[in-house]
Structures are given as structure tokens and as C-alpha cells.
């Protein structure tokens, strides 16, 4: 089964990561968006990759909680 997001959002990775860090919550849709971006490799810049890695570091250290709803 192939997982895709219905539409590609106009929201930038920077906006998504800032919202996640500020709220302290990572939702399922944002998780999928970030994982898709990081796995696509060619579509993101080094700065965007660092921002995504920061979010996942924050999840590991407990600063951001994964909200699986």
C-alpha cells in the first residue's frame, strides 16, 4: 500500500517545524509530512534537514510530545 498525503501543502518546512517546537506537539500528519520530506532527499535544503532533525531530537529528549491522533 502506498501512503501519500492528499495534497502538497503550501506551508514551508520552516513553518511546520516552528509550529511543532512552539506548541511542543507533533501530530501524525506533520510527522508524515516531515518524514516524507526527509526521505525524498532531493526536495529539501540542508537547513530544512537540520530543522527536521531538531524536531526529532526534541521528541527523543521529551521537549516535543508525539500526539498520535
Amino acid at each position: 500500500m502506498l501512503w501519500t498525503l492528499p495534497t502538497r501543502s503550501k506551508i514551508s518546512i520552516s513553518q511546520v517545524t516552528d509550529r511543532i517546537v512552539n506548541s511542543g506537539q507533533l501530530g501524525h500528519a506533520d510527522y508524515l509530512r516531515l518524514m516524507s520530506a526527509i526521505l525524498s532527499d532531493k526536495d529539501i535544503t540542508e537547513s530544512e534537514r537540520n530543522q527536521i532533525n531538531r524536531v526529532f531530537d526534541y521528541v527523543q529528549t521529551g521537549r516535543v510530545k508525539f500526539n498520535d491522533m
Side-chain angles (χ1 to χ4, degrees), residues 43-59:
D43 294 337
I44 64 172
T45 66
E46 189 66 28
S47 174
E48 291 170 330
R49 180 178 300 283
N50 290 337
Q51 290 171 338
I52 293 169
N53 286 335
R54 178 179 60 146
V55 167
F56 292 133
D57 287 345
Y58 281 10
V59 170

Side-chain angles (χ1 to χ4, degrees), residues 2 7 13-15 17 26 28 30-34 36-37 40-42 47 57 60 65-67 69:
L2 178 64
T7 59
I13 289 175
S14 178
Q15 290 171 316
T17 57
L26 173 61
H28 189 71
D30 286 335
Y31 170 79
L32 290 177
R33 181 178 289 122
L34 295 180
S36 175
S40 70
D41 198 39
K42 63 181 179 192
S47 174
D57 287 345
Q60 286 184 322
K65 303 290 183 207
F66 183 68
N67 183 3
M69 294 179 101

